[in-house]
Amino acid sequence: LLNELRSILQQTNVPAIYVTHDQEEAFAMADRILILHGGEIVREGRPADVWANPESAFVARFLGLGNVFEGEVRGKEKEDGEWNVESGFGVFTVPCEHGHQKGDSVHLLVRPHLVDEGSNVIQGIVTDVILQQDRFKVSLKNGLYFYLPSAPKVGERIEVSVKVECLV
């Protein structure tokens, strides 16, 4: 029904406002997404843009985009816009175009799907492993989770390398 409705709206070129709490439905239907919080629009844009750049910790958490946590800016890594951010999970090199100052409090989003060999390392003890299609959702004692191609054992201490591109 969802695909049929989208097809009808596109064919007839009828503008429509579709209100839903189902995120999957919203992203499938919309040409433009508006996310509300407390009666205010907190993010708007094309679905792909909203997904790629949530612009706030609230939107990232609301959409379930990954691990969101606080950190403190320690300084600029290079002149190319990468910052060193210290958190309770380690020090991360994060690409960011905002004009931060040393000591600023920021939120980081670490996308759990895009882990590989990278310079940002997170360690933790495995508390749960769930097979999800062709990968494993691995939860750590520190509250973070990642999707890995193979299953570690519960209780095992692991390291996950996160590419710079996976940090927002």
Side-chain angles (χ1 to χ4, degrees):
L1 185 59
L2 185 66
N3 292 335
E4 189 67 25
L5 179 57
R6 180 168 171 78
S7 177
I8 291 168
L9 290 172
Q10 287 177 336
Q11 289 172 10
T12 60
N13 205 24
V14 173
I17 296 174
Y18 189 85
V19 179
T20 181
H21 288 93
D22 184 322
Q23 295 172 15
E24 188 174 329
E25 195 173 280
F27 277 82
M29 286 292 297
D31 294 321
R32 188 166 157 232
I33 295 276
L34 290 118
I35 297 177
L36 302 172
H37 180 62
E40 301 285 326
I41 297 172
V42 293
R43 181 67 169 99
E44 65 178 294
R46 294 185 353 222
D49 295 337
V50 171
W51 193 263
N53 186 11
E55 293 184 359
S56 75
F58 170 80
V59 173
R61 284 185 184 113
F62 178 75
L63 294 177
L65 297 180
N67 302 293
V68 179
F69 52 87
E70 288 187 46
E72 185 176 304
V73 175
R74 289 294 178 206
K76 211 165 194 179
E77 175 72 19
K78 307 174 199 167
E79 289 305 312
D80 62 0
E82 290 185 349
W83 295 86
N84 285 328
V85 177
E86 185 175 349
S87 76
F89 303 107
V91 177
F92 299 92
T93 302
V94 182
C96 184
E97 297 175 7
H98 296 101
H100 295 295
Q101 301 290 323
K102 187 174 181 177
D104 283 354
S105 179
V106 295
H107 283 94
L108 294 179
L109 164 62
V110 179
R111 295 184 186 264
H113 298 88
L114 306 171
V115 294
D116 200 352
E117 295 181 24
S119 58
N120 296 297
V121 176
I122 296 175
Q123 296 181 1
I125 296 172
V126 177
T127 58
D128 196 19
V129 178
I130 301 170
L131 176 63
Q132 293 186 339
Q133 297 172 347
D134 62 344
R135 62 187 180 201
F136 296 89
K137 181 180 181 183
V138 178
S139 299
L140 304 178
K141 189 174 184 178
N142 59 18
L144 303 181
Y145 68 96
F146 297 94
Y147 293 97
L148 303 177
S150 60
K153 293 182 174 142
V154 171
E156 183 179 349
R157 181 175 208 58
I158 65 168
E159 267 189 14
V160 179
S161 297
V162 181
K163 292 181 180 180
V164 170
E165 304 85 52
C166 303
L167 293 159
V168 179

